Amino acid sequence: MQIGLVGLPGSGKTTLFNALVRANAETGAFTGKNKANRGTIKVPDQRVTRLSSLFNPLKTTFATVEYLDIGGITAGSGKQEEQQGDGGLNDLRNMDVLVHVLRGFPDLSNTPVTPREDFETVELELAIADLEIIERRLGRLSKEARSTKRPELVREWQLLEQCKEEIEGGGVIRNLEFVPEDEKRLRGYRFLSQKPVLLVLNIPEDNLGREVQDVEALRDYTDCKDVLVLSARVEMEIAQLDEEDAGAFLEDLGIGESALDRMIIASYGLLNLISFFTVGEDEVKAWTVTRGVTAPKAAGAIHSDLERGFIRAETLECQTLIDLGGLQAAKEQGALRVEGKQYVVQDGDVINVRFSV
Ligand SMILES: Nc1nc2c(ncn2[C@@H]2O[C@H](COP(=O)(O)OP(=O)(O)OP(=O)(O)O)[C@@H](O)[C@H]2O)c(=O)[nH]1
Ligand SMILES: [Mg+2]
């Protein structure tokens, strides 16, 4: 999974990035321009750790998340020529989720805290970046669609017109709903204003553990269900501690989990993702798939041969496997189920795919 951090200059993106990937990138408003920061982390998952102690495999592979921290977005960032280059908006196109960081702390020049307005500014630039792409494509597409009348082109033309209208009316593409075939037609454009957004309100450290009144209003106003409240600066400090000290520190501050954990859980939720596991003496590995996929599709995440030649899946819940102490015991107790092509994979399943190609 790839997650991109967006926000105004000085909202705390790089500070949060440092906390998330335990990095030490330079912070300070406007330092992010022309320089993107990238970092990959393992998705902490107790289930993988426990399965690994059970099987003692040669290799243990956690799911990973890649974070991208670009420059602050300001009026004009969405323009075609501004999108290019390191730290520009174009870097965001491959992201699965955007984490939108909003400044909730008083900055050095005491600029008032205005998360709603800041949200609007950034959303507008993301939409403008999309509009630039739409307009360039529409020029040629409308001619081609008119002259050839090919239904595929005509449909694409209509869809782009619909997106354009939404943006020109002050909206974002995320507001539009498409049937799956149309969704597919637009996928290649990787529109920024269509990506799921997780809001982070970066509050002053003194306010941690207290109720933040603006959150509900912000949630309503932005139409983003997921709002995480944290202090990026404190998170960065926590990330520099070892695990034991970090736990005690979190408790003192009245924060349950670190930002890293909360962000990953929220991102998985936003994208409707679940994990399943493969186990053995060679490797214990976590796989990430969309909720609702069938066993053959999940097998395809491992290797396309496994989907093509799928026969059946032997499966059980990972906690059952851990409780019973191993696959042999699970088999003897009749806990290992055999599932066919229609089986919908559940979060936490341990799966062994039988296939033939
Ligand atoms: N008090 C306080 N200051 C913070 C917090 N988070 C960030 N800052 C400060 O705000 C300034 C900007 O933080 P950065 O993380 O560099 O901001 P940014 O969003 O990456 O900025 P650009 O890269 O320019 O877009 C730095 O001086 C940070 O120390 C916070 O939670 N509390
Ligand atoms: Mg930065």
Side-chain angles (χ1 to χ4, degrees), residues 174-191:
R174 203 169 60 240
N175 298 341
L176 301 173
E177 271 181 47
F178 300 106
V179 295
E181 300 87 75
D182 288 341
E183 180 83 46
K184 233 184 235 165
R185 288 187 175 98
L186 291 177
R187 199 172 290 160
Y189 289 102
R190 302 178 297 165
F191 288 130

Side-chain angles (χ1 to χ4, degrees), residues 95-154:
M95 299 296 118
D96 302 303
V97 183
L98 301 183
V99 167
H100 190 154
V101 183
L102 296 165
R103 185 175 62 86
F105 60 90
D107 66 2
L108 292 176
S109 46
N110 266 324
T111 324
V113 171
T114 52
R116 289 186 189 189
E117 287 80 352
D118 297 357
F119 176 81
E120 292 295 336
T121 306
V122 169
E123 288 262 295
L124 179 64
E125 292 307 317
L126 298 177
I128 289 174
D130 291 341
L131 190 59
E132 294 261 321
I133 287 178
I134 292 171
E135 284 181 332
R136 280 155 56 114
R137 174 75 180 129
L138 269 180
R140 187 174 316 168
L141 184 64
S142 62
K143 263 185 236 137
E144 260 178 54
R146 270 200 208 100
S147 64
T148 66
K149 301 218 165 31
R150 274 176 48 204
E152 262 309 300
L153 291 180
V154 174

Side-chain angles (χ1 to χ4, degrees), residues 8-15 27-32 71-72 105 202-203 205 231-233:
L8 293 188
S11 52
K13 296 179 297 301
T14 305
T15 308
T27 57
F30 295 100
T31 49
F105 60 90
N202 188 8
I203 60 165
E205 35 279 50
S231 161
R233 184 172 279 178

Side-chain angles (χ1 to χ4, degrees), residues 171-352:
V172 288
I173 301 177
R174 203 169 60 240
N175 298 341
L176 301 173
E177 271 181 47
F178 300 106
V179 295
E181 300 87 75
D182 288 341
E183 180 83 46
K184 233 184 235 165
R185 288 187 175 98
L186 291 177
R187 199 172 290 160
Y189 289 102
R190 302 178 297 165
F191 288 130
L192 302 182
S193 78
Q194 193 179 18
K195 295 189 187 290
V197 174
L198 177 65
L199 287 188
V200 166
L201 185 61
N202 188 8
I203 60 165
E205 35 279 50
D206 308 341
N207 292 2
L208 281 176
R210 287 200 216 139
E211 196 153 340
V212 180
Q213 284 160 356
D214 318 333
V215 175
E216 273 312 314
L218 194 62
R219 194 173 283 144
D220 285 344
Y221 182 76
T222 58
D223 220 8
C224 291
K225 282 194 294 295
D226 295 86
V227 183
L228 297 186
V229 178
L230 52 81
S231 161
R233 184 172 279 178
V234 169
E235 295 292 343
M236 192 166 131
E237 283 164 19
I238 295 172
Q240 282 155 1
L241 301 173
D242 61 44
E243 220 164 283
E244 211 171 291
D245 293 343
F249 194 41
L250 284 170
E251 222 166 89
D252 287 349
L253 288 167
I255 319 174
E257 288 163 309
S258 74
L260 174 73
D261 294 343
R262 287 193 284 160
M263 204 118 100
I264 290 174
I265 292 168
S267 305
Y268 269 61
L270 258 180
L271 292 175
N272 239 333
L273 297 176
I274 58 168
S275 307
F276 75 90
F277 310 102
T278 50
V279 296
E281 283 164 11
D282 292 336
E283 190 177 18
V284 164
K285 181 164 180 169
W287 302 87
T288 308
V289 290
T290 310
R291 188 180 294 281
V293 296
T294 55
K297 270 264 167 291
I302 303 172
H303 196 285
S304 56
D305 282 353
L306 269 62
E307 181 173 358
R308 206 154 44 90
F310 182 91
I311 300 170
R312 61 176 188 269
E314 294 161 357
T315 177
L316 79 171
E317 215 277 313
C318 72
Q319 193 55 49
T320 313
L321 177 59
I322 293 163
D323 292 344
L324 293 175
L327 282 172
Q328 193 51 39
K331 224 175 261 173
E332 283 164 16
Q333 309 253 348
L336 199 63
R337 306 187 314 271
V338 174
E339 301 281 4
K341 288 184 177 168
Q342 307 301 324
Y343 178 67
V344 174
V345 174
Q346 305 295 310
D347 189 37
D349 275 354
V350 171
I351 292 183
N352 179 29

